[in-house]
Amino acid sequence: MKRMTVPRFKRLKGKRKLVMVTVYDYTFAKLIEACQCIDAVLVGDSLGNVIQGLDTTLPVEVQHIAYHTKAVSRALGTPLIVADMPFMSYYNKDTAAKTAEVLMKSGAHAVKLEGGVEKADIVKFLTQQGIPVMGHIGMTPQSVNMLGGYKIQGKRPELAEYLIESAKALQEAGAFSIVIETTKKEVAKAITEAISIPTIGIGAGKHTDGQVLVLYDMLGMDPDINFTFLKKYANLADTITNALQTYSKEVREEIFPDDEHSF
Ligand code: KIV
């Protein structure tokens, strides 16, 4: 696979589906690089959930995203690396500039921020500084308290209209792509048809230009994570548990280490 760039990512809309996963550490990033099958990775603020064990992404700090972006960028040569701007790290142009500077200097090729029409001026400002921005609309987890929970978006016609207007405003502001999360598939389709930049869906049906999933969720690392939209492509929870049990048994029974694993 050729190294993914922002212009190439945009050009692929309508040609083939774009594939994205989140990633947070060097070892998983190495596997992603080796598979040569992923177009873009997101160092998502979902690290607050899967790495830090938090209920929401609100406590995630810029330094956390920067730390993980540095780690994954050491392993990646092919996919586009997008780093998430955490909660309250882009509420005005100054904070947005500082956050984006830290993340781009940590190895990101682009940043992602949540919000629609109301964030268009921030997106425009960042893109004017040469920083590619991915938008994120629909169910935006940083606004969980405003939304009243992690609810499906786009059910009411006026909200569907707001999402379409938001996508157009983000595109106009210079966003190169937009994530649509937990949104009715008809609305995600309408958004995808209304703009010329790629839409990347998560829980938004099949009509978006690409898909993103949280790596640990799609690998089945946590048996308690079972969203309707989530397909588990592996059951690593069982694989890892079995490996730990076998290791423990072998140490206790003095089977490991044997001569083969000794000097
Ligand atoms: O933080 C994250 O992982 C995300 C994806 C769910 C799109 O924003």
Side-chain angles (χ1 to χ4, degrees):
M1 258 174 92
K2 269 192 356 203
R3 194 171 84 77
M4 185 57 72
T5 62
V6 165
R8 193 159 162 253
F9 196 82
K10 282 170 80 176
R11 281 200 303 273
L12 284 168
K13 180 177 174 108
K15 299 212 170 71
R16 69 159 169 82
K17 294 281 184 181
L18 292 156
V19 186
M20 189 168 184
V21 286
T22 67
V23 65
Y24 318 99
D25 74 350
Y26 173 79
T27 304
F28 271 117
K30 230 175 125 184
L31 291 171
I32 288 172
E33 181 62 28
C35 92
Q36 291 285 298
C37 61
I38 300 295
D39 296 306
V41 297
L42 172 67
V43 185
D45 62 358
S46 52
L47 67 83
N49 310 116
V50 299
I51 303 286
Q52 299 176 340
L54 299 166
D55 284 342
T56 75
T57 55
L58 305 195
V60 174
E61 301 284 348
V62 176
Q63 296 312 325
H64 301 157
I65 304 283
Y67 173 88
H68 289 275
T69 302
K70 283 181 193 160
V72 306
S73 67
R74 289 184 194 117
L76 295 172
T78 316
L80 190 70
I81 304 175
V82 183
D84 236 347
M85 312 243 305
F87 177 61
M88 290 304 278
S89 72
Y90 51 97
Y91 62 84
N92 63 20
K93 290 178 184 168
D94 280 352
T95 53
K98 286 199 186 83
T99 302
E101 181 182 0
V102 172
L103 299 181
M104 298 299 281
K105 287 181 177 172
S106 299
H109 304 129
V111 296
K112 176 171 83 57
L113 58 83
E114 296 182 10
V117 176
E118 67 288 350
K119 284 285 180 276
D121 60 334
I122 302 285
V123 171
K124 185 168 184 185
F125 170 72
L126 290 176
T127 54
Q128 282 170 341
Q129 316 312 312
I131 299 164
V133 181
M134 180 176 264
H136 184 160
I137 59 175
M139 200 287 289
T140 43
Q142 291 173 18
S143 303
V144 60
N145 293 303
M146 289 291 277
L147 298 173
Y150 299 107
K151 294 182 176 164
I152 302 164
Q153 300 296 300
K155 282 184 172 170
R156 295 216 309 274
E158 64 275 21
L159 285 180
E161 202 47 49
Y162 160 77
L163 291 176
I164 296 169
E165 287 316 308
S166 286
K168 287 182 183 167
L170 293 171
Q171 168 175 266
E172 182 69 20
F176 74 95
S177 174
I178 300 176
V179 167
I180 307 174
E181 181 164 356
T182 317
T183 296
K184 294 285 286 176
K185 59 181 188 293
E186 298 79 13
V187 177
K189 183 173 189 274
I191 295 169
T192 301
E193 287 168 357
I195 59 176
S196 59
I197 55 172
T199 56
I200 306 296
I202 174 162
K206 67 174 185 180
H207 301 293
T208 51
D209 297 305
Q211 298 291 328
V212 59
L213 283 175
V214 170
L215 186 68
Y216 286 24
D217 296 351
M218 57 89 74
L219 293 178
M221 302 268 280
D222 185 343
D224 297 333
I225 300 288
N226 290 299
F227 307 120
T228 304
F229 68 80
L230 174 66
K231 181 165 177 184
K232 295 189 180 180
Y233 287 86
N235 184 350
L236 291 197
D238 276 1
T239 305
I240 292 168
T241 305
N242 286 340
L244 292 170
Q245 280 167 345
T246 307
Y247 165 62
S248 166
K249 184 171 178 290
E250 291 197 357
V251 170
R252 288 190 181 134
E253 291 177 5
E254 298 185 29
I255 296 168
F256 177 84
D258 51 13
D259 280 350
E260 195 193 333
H261 297 96
S262 303
F263 301 107

